[in-house]
């Protein structure tokens, strides 16, 4: 198993771009310049690997776990998609998906209570930000916003990689350095 933990989340967002960390999480799985969204899913499926991501208030994480012989290939896929293409058509399509997700969570009483509790407990503080953002903030996000946020928040100095299993630490470090 391997995980890339990016030191960024909802607490790093202004009201104008609230939800951008979560939006970018979705966009990572839309692929790189070399991989389409379908390529990404097929590549993980062909390896028998599970993969996913999550965004929180303080962290965005991307992970995969796979059979031992597929581990190196999983690392290659994750490091490639962590340099996303951020294609305009993917952004437009994914915006609709995220708006549906916001609507779905608005229908869940526990989630509404959780967000209201954060807003009451941390009034005016970045920890009161909504991970998914608001419909208005998500709709207003542009390709330029995503590129700027990615360039500011993603990178070697803001990322921790954790791995477990039957692996060689030195080999993994060399692979990640590439």
């Amino acid at each position: 198993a391997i995980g890339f933990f990016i030191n960024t989340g909802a607490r790093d967002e202004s009201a104008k771009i609230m939800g951008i960390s979560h939006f970018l999480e979705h966009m990572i799985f839309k692929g790189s310049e070399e991989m389409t969204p379908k390529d990404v899913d097929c590549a993980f499926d062909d390896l028998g690997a599970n993969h996913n991501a999550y965004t929180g208030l303080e962290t965005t994480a991307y992970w995969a776990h796979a059979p031992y012989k597929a581990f190196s290939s999983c690392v290659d896929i994750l490091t490639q998609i962590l340099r996303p293409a951020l294609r305009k058509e993917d952004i437009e399509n994914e915006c609709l998906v995220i708006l549906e997700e916001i609507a779905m969570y608005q229908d869940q009483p526990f989630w509404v209570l959780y967000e209201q509790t954060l807003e009451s407990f941390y009034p005016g503080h970045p920890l009161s930000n909504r991970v998914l953002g608001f419909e208005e903030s998500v709709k207003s996000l542009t390709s330029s916003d995503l590129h700027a946020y990615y360039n500011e928040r993603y990178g070697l100095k803001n990322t921790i990689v954790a791995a477990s299993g039957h692996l060689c630490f030195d080999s993994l470090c060399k692979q990640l350095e590439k």
Side-chain angles (χ1 to χ4, degrees):
I2 187 162
F4 290 77
F5 298 86
I6 316 299
N7 183 25
T8 197
R11 61 126 196 250
D12 300 300
E13 303 167 354
S14 67
K16 179 182 180 290
I17 61 167
M18 195 179 299
I20 197 167
S21 297
H22 176 253
F23 201 125
L24 193 53
E25 172 211 319
H26 279 234
M27 293 306 301
I28 296 295
F29 288 105
K30 294 300 176 187
S32 64
E33 293 296 336
E34 296 81 26
M35 296 181 84
T36 67
K38 184 177 179 182
D39 293 338
V40 173
D41 288 335
C42 288
F44 280 118
D45 288 348
D46 289 348
L47 297 172
N50 292 319
H51 66 285
N52 211 331
Y54 65 84
T55 302
L57 290 170
E58 301 180 282
T59 306
T60 306
Y62 305 89
W63 59 266
H65 64 85
Y68 166 72
K69 292 183 188 247
F71 180 77
S72 180
S73 296
C74 274
V75 173
D76 287 340
I77 296 166
L78 279 170
T79 56
Q80 185 172 139
I81 65 176
L82 279 165
R83 294 183 307 274
L86 301 175
R87 291 177 282 269
K88 184 178 180 190
E89 64 273 11
D90 291 335
I91 293 169
E92 291 170 358
N93 292 335
E94 207 57 31
C95 182
L96 299 174
V97 171
I98 293 168
L99 293 174
E100 285 182 28
E101 190 176 359
I102 290 170
M104 178 187 74
Y105 277 97
Q106 288 173 344
D107 287 339
Q108 295 181 16
F110 173 81
W111 194 254
V112 172
L113 177 62
Y114 173 75
E115 288 178 331
Q116 290 173 352
T117 301
L118 286 177
E119 289 168 357
S120 294
F121 196 71
Y122 298 110
H125 190 278
L127 287 177
S128 70
N129 287 353
R130 294 184 178 201
V131 171
L132 301 180
F134 291 98
E135 186 176 324
E136 303 79 31
S137 62
V138 170
K139 281 182 180 177
S140 70
L141 291 172
T142 66
S143 176
S144 295
D145 293 330
L146 288 165
H147 281 280
Y149 192 81
Y150 175 86
N151 290 334
E152 178 187 337
R153 302 299 309 170
Y154 279 64
L156 296 175
K157 294 181 179 181
N158 216 29
T159 303
I160 293 174
V161 178
S164 66
H166 183 71
L167 55 94
C168 173
F169 180 78
D170 292 334
S171 295
L172 176 60
C173 288
K174 286 177 186 173
Q175 185 178 9
L176 292 170
E177 285 173 1
K178 286 185 195 175

